[in-house]
């Protein structure tokens, strides 16, 4: 059964290291769907692109777009939204792009003793929330975003990813 508020989520694997995780696309699709179902934002008839890359690829993106010459786990690039209201027959509107780095994500999952698919779900949810306007630039926004992430992940049967890191963002 499809939910009327779900965006189209395209997953692009651009790094061979992801071949060791053949369920990654399914995990991401499920996480983005859960996030879309949990927010008030209208994301129906919208598209999200998720690029599964490696540390070298995300380091380049991080350097080019954020001026930080180091790899990170996830980056989100919200798309500019066109003026006016979307109408049936229009091309799908892009919410934006998410990039997830395999090695950093794998290392974090291992260090935090979390199943790979749980951490991947968390990063997909986190990236999606950035696309629709959530951020963690200050403590209040971080607490709001983390609470929403925790709620979404609970719907997926995934424990609170912040439970062991109380007070950090």
């Amino acid at each position: 059964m499809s939910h009327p508020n779900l965006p189209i989520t395209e997953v692009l694997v651009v790094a061979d290291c992801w071949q060791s995780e053949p369920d990654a696309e399914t995990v991401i699709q499920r996480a983005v769907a859960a996030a879309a179902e949990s927010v008030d934002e209208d994301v129906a008839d919208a598209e999200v692109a998720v690029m599964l890359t490696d540390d070298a690829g995300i380091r380049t993106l991080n350097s080019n777009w954020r001026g930080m010459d180091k790899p990170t786990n996830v980056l989100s690039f919200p798309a500019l939204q066109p003026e006016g209201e979307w109408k049936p027959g229009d091309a799908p509107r892009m919410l934006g792009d998410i990039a997830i780095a395999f090695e950093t994500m794998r290392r974090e999952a291992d260090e935090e003793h979390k199943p790979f698919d749980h951490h991947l779900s968390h990063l997909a949810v986190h990236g999606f929330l950035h696309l629709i306007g959530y951020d963690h630039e200050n403590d209040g926004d971080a607490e709001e975003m983390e609470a929403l992430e925790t709620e979404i992940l609970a719907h997926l049967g995934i424990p609170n990813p912040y439970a062991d890191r109380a007070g950090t963002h």
Side-chain angles (χ1 to χ4, degrees), residues 57-136:
I58 211 159
R59 179 179 181 168
T60 299
L61 290 170
N62 206 17
S63 178
N64 290 345
W65 292 98
R66 297 178 65 223
M68 302 176 84
D69 189 21
K70 63 181 184 177
T72 189
N73 54 12
V74 62
L75 291 172
S76 296
F77 301 95
L80 293 175
Q81 296 303 309
E83 296 292 323
E85 194 171 314
W86 183 89
K87 296 179 271 326
D90 287 350
R93 65 186 171 99
M94 278 299 298
L95 291 179
D97 302 320
I98 300 168
I100 301 175
F102 183 84
E103 298 96 333
T104 296
M105 202 206 83
R106 165 62 75 191
R107 184 178 60 256
E108 290 172 348
D110 290 347
E111 287 172 356
E112 297 170 17
H113 308 289
K114 296 177 180 174
F116 184 87
D117 62 323
H118 287 191
H119 196 44
L120 179 56
S121 295
H122 180 206
L123 294 182
V125 166
H126 185 88
F128 176 82
L129 292 178
H130 276 306
L131 295 184
I132 61 170
Y134 288 86
D135 68 46
H136 41 83

Side-chain angles (χ1 to χ4, degrees), residues 12-19 51-55 102-103:
L12 311 163
V13 180
V14 299
D16 289 339
C17 47
W18 283 95
Q19 299 308 316
M51 179 176 71
L52 300 181
T53 189
D54 55 17
D55 276 3
F102 183 84
E103 298 96 333

